[in-house]
Amino acid sequence: MTPVRIDAVDGLAAPVGAFSHAVVAHGFVYTSGQLPVDATGSAPDTFAEQLTRTLGNLRTVLEAAGSSLDHVVKVNGYLTDPDHLDTYNRVYREVFGHTLPARTTVCVSLWGVALEIDCVAVLAHRGEGEPRD
């Protein structure tokens, strides 16, 4: 199967680097890291609002690729401040509920943002030619 690249997503800024928002391959969606910015590059003030925006951007990318947050199996989160971990856990649980995917969260230095999140999800509906379980 040829991977499908999701390069343009309505409501999100175009990628600023040499990458796609997501790639669909073999029944999975692999997202690039999503930031807490809207299509204009503006970010909310508080960490909780930035996290909500980032997860909303992730939702938008997944839906554009034919999946959803309900189909996420693995999340990688990158935070700049370990003091944000309690807020991260609270908002993350509100968004994912009781169907928590596997997760890795690390504190790192990022380029002027407080967090970045990427994930792997299964396709919501497998198309023709997709492998079946």
Side-chain angles (χ1 to χ4, degrees):
M1 174 202 168
T2 302
V4 175
R5 296 177 198 309
I6 310 298
D7 295 323
V9 177
D10 287 340
L12 295 182
V16 294
F19 61 90
S20 298
H21 279 296
V23 175
V24 178
H26 301 288
F28 289 92
V29 179
Y30 300 88
T31 72
S32 293
Q34 297 301 306
L35 302 175
V37 297
D38 63 15
T40 69
S42 176
D45 292 329
T46 71
F47 179 76
E49 292 169 325
Q50 290 179 27
L51 176 56
T52 300
R53 166 84 48 82
T54 301
L55 292 171
N57 290 348
L58 196 61
R59 175 185 292 115
T60 300
V61 170
L62 289 170
E63 289 173 355
S67 192
S68 70
L69 288 175
D70 292 336
H71 291 87
V72 172
V73 295
K74 176 71 166 110
V75 171
N76 296 309
Y78 309 93
L79 309 179
T80 59
D81 186 343
D83 290 338
H84 289 150
L85 193 55
D86 287 340
T87 302
Y88 183 77
N89 284 327
R90 179 182 52 78
V91 173
Y92 184 93
R93 184 172 289 281
E94 289 171 5
V95 170
F96 283 103
H98 295 292
T99 57
L100 297 172
R103 184 180 101 182
T104 299
T105 304
V106 296
C107 288
V108 298
S109 177
L110 295 170
W111 305 273
V113 294
L115 73 148
E116 182 173 4
I117 300 174
D118 67 82
C119 74
V120 177
V122 294
L123 288 173
H125 304 286
R126 292 194 179 181
E128 189 172 317
E130 289 290 319
R132 303 281 178 204
D133 290 332

